[in-house]
Amino acid sequence: MAASVIGRRVEELTTPAFVVDYDKVETNCNMMLQTCTTMGVKLRAQTKTHKTIEGAELQTGGTKRGLVTSTLDESEFYADHGFDDILYGYPLIPFHMPRVTVLTKRLEKFHVMVDSRLAVQTLLETPPPSSKTWSVFLKVDCGNGRAGVWWEDEEDIDLALSLCSDPTRITFQGVYVHCGNTYHADDPKDVDALRDENIERLLKFVEKAKKRGVICPTVGIGSTPSCRRPADTMKKLNELHPGNYAFLDVQQSTLGSCSLEDIACCVATRIIGHYPRRNQMLIDCGFTGLTKQGEGKMPSGYCVIRDHPNLKLCSMTQEIGFVETVEGKLDYAKYPVGSLLFLLPWHSCATAAMYPVYNIIQNDRIIAVWKPTRGW
Ligand SMILES: Cc1ncc(COP(=O)(O)O)c(C=O)c1O
């Protein structure tokens, strides 16, 4: 069924449909590769935004090496398709070990991420597959307030020391920071300050660890807001791991990561009815086609409606969206029933996750269909 849309125009798609502009996603991926080359750091691309083979090929510049995933399912999916040097970038717990063991066996380089004594103890007590060691990153929290050991805590250096205590079991790869607190910045200047604070704190942690005899071979940070605003401070690191940059979204535009024109994805939706008595029209995209991630964030409601700054998606039910004007009367002649609108999502990772296929377009024609992996 999917192959039948190739060569068709976007207007022929059944809606709502997730549409990706190939030229934009390619440009976004190449720009990040170029940033990393300029900074002299390795790019370990996060795949959680798109979860597709084609997207990861663009992110790795065709090498298929150097990914970070957010689920074991993604790690297995990429392993099945010839990718290697994959970090399962999620706090490890003992329950993960059977699948982690298989991936460690299959891949040349499969890494896990830990932030607890329990995880380190589990790895020290579990024999790795023959001729392999567990390859491990320590996750450090430099202000994000999610997973990770706290950068200032002396006991956390003890955890790093434990990771180096038995090289026949564990190869310590270094430290990993997801500076996701950049998403809470008030403005782009604040993003820059948080980026630099994360780097400074991480380097202090690395220095303290070094004094206790722990060498961190890899020192990396990454979120799209920080990496789309690269600075010389990043040259002190050797790895970046952003992910959302492949698609970008309205949230990124508010943080100074991009302009609305750079956003590579959107939801195509059809107008399904006019309701002049309440100055509204309905579209066939409800919260299952967009999510409610942008609630309360934008004057234009739950998304930005491309090329129509006076339209607002004011509410949604499961399969229906309610569109009105930001100001004034709706000119229904401009919006015939059956015609398309294109919704730029607030959070593309969440919106992409609503769709079993992505329609890839170039010059308004569908040139490919990408199938993301789903599951955990
Ligand atoms: C652990 C981890 N690393 C990297 C990233 C990539 O960050 P971004 O999506 O801002 O590029 C994420 C995103 O949530 C993450 O959770």
Side-chain angles (χ1 to χ4, degrees):
M1 194 177 82
S4 64
V5 300
I6 309 271
R8 303 258 172 121
R9 291 173 45 240
V10 176
E11 286 71 18
E12 295 176 71
L13 284 173
T14 299
T15 48
F18 194 74
V19 174
V20 176
D21 183 314
Y22 183 82
D23 294 338
K24 288 186 185 184
V25 76
E26 186 185 42
T27 300
N28 292 342
C29 290
N30 287 343
M31 270 178 71
M32 194 55 76
L33 284 163
Q34 187 54 51
T35 295
C36 289
T37 303
T38 308
M39 293 291 142
V41 301
K42 167 176 169 164
L43 175 63
R44 177 178 293 287
Q46 239 288 2
T47 54
K48 70 197 274 285
T49 305
H50 56 85
K51 302 189 189 227
T52 61
I53 298 306
E54 297 85 345
E57 279 173 349
L58 288 173
Q59 284 182 300
T60 57
T63 67
K64 296 177 129 191
R65 298 291 179 273
L67 297 179
V68 49
T69 65
S70 58
T71 62
L72 279 167
D73 170 82
E74 265 170 87
S75 301
E76 290 159 350
F77 176 68
Y78 288 113
D80 288 345
H81 289 86
F83 286 78
D84 211 310
D85 189 2
I86 299 172
L87 164 62
Y88 173 40
Y90 199 80
L92 184 76
I93 57 169
F95 186 78
H96 299 145
M97 286 307 289
R99 291 166 79 187
V100 159
T101 303
V102 174
L103 283 159
T104 301
K105 211 188 238 169
R106 285 178 69 189
L107 293 179
E108 196 183 324
K109 294 182 190 170
F110 176 69
H111 323 279
V112 292
M113 195 161 80
V114 301
D115 70 352
S116 69
R117 172 67 53 195
L118 173 68
V120 176
Q121 215 47 47
T122 303
L123 292 170
L124 284 170
E125 286 166 7
T126 312
S130 69
S131 80
K132 293 281 176 93
T133 56
W134 304 117
S135 180
V136 185
F137 283 79
L138 177 65
K139 183 151 191 189
V140 184
D141 179 359
C142 291
N144 187 30
R146 201 172 64 177
V149 299
W150 184 242
W151 68 283
E152 274 181 305
D153 287 348
E154 204 56 42
E155 314 88 82
D156 292 329
I157 309 278
D158 295 342
L159 204 60
L161 267 170
S162 305
L163 285 169
C164 302
S165 66
D166 184 353
T168 67
R169 286 267 156 109
I170 295 179
T171 303
F172 178 50
Q173 292 295 345
V175 283
Y176 184 110
V177 172
H178 169 50
C179 45
N181 49 337
T182 47
Y183 283 94
H184 306 303
D186 293 327
D187 53 42
K189 263 193 168 159
D190 201 18
V191 170
D192 296 346
L194 286 165
R195 175 201 61 215
D196 290 342
E197 181 182 78
N198 272 274
I199 294 173
E200 198 186 313
R201 288 178 171 185
L202 181 61
L203 292 173
K204 279 188 181 155
F205 182 90
V206 168
E207 202 45 47
K208 260 200 307 182
K210 192 173 164 194
K211 284 193 182 132
R212 303 254 325 259
V214 179
I215 302 298
C216 301
T218 301
V219 181
I221 71 156
S223 66
T224 292
S226 56
C227 298
R228 286 279 298 199
R229 303 179 61 77
D232 279 354
T233 45
M234 284 175 164
K235 293 182 177 166
K236 297 175 188 162
L237 310 168
N238 53 18
E239 189 169 286
L240 297 181
H241 36 249
N244 177 276
Y245 70 88
F247 284 173
L248 296 169
D249 51 32
V250 177
Q251 178 170 212
Q252 298 293 350
S253 76
T254 66
L255 294 166
S257 311
C258 65
S259 69
L260 290 178
E261 285 68 44
D262 298 324
I263 300 172
C265 63
C266 65
V267 173
T269 178
R270 277 198 170 76
I271 295 166
I272 55 165
H274 291 167
Y275 301 86
R277 201 175 52 80
R278 51 177 206 264
N279 197 37
Q280 278 184 342
M281 56 188 178
L282 299 184
I283 55 174
D284 63 5
C285 179
F287 60 75
T288 53
L290 185 68
T291 80
K292 287 195 167 181
Q293 287 268 296
E295 188 153 30
K297 309 277 191 192
M298 294 163 280
S300 54
Y302 288 94
C303 62
V304 166
I305 303 182
R306 200 174 70 196
D307 302 330
H308 297 286
N310 197 34
L311 291 184
K312 173 179 179 177
L313 178 59
C314 56
S315 71
M316 285 176 284
T317 56
Q318 186 172 336
E319 314 284 7
I320 287 180
F322 295 69
V323 175
E324 55 190 37
T325 51
V326 177
E327 242 182 49
K329 282 247 166 265
L330 239 175
D331 179 0
Y332 289 101
K334 276 169 65 181
Y335 303 107
V337 169
S339 63
L340 291 185
L341 291 174
F342 297 94
L343 315 181
L344 298 176
W346 173 256
H347 186 190
S348 57
C349 311
T351 300
M354 300 291 108
Y355 290 88
V357 293
Y358 309 157
N359 300 282
I360 312 302
I361 61 157
Q362 210 167 28
N363 302 323
D364 261 356
R365 292 264 171 196
I366 297 147
I367 58 160
V369 171
W370 294 357
K371 270 189 94 122
T373 188
R374 294 285 179 242
W376 286 271

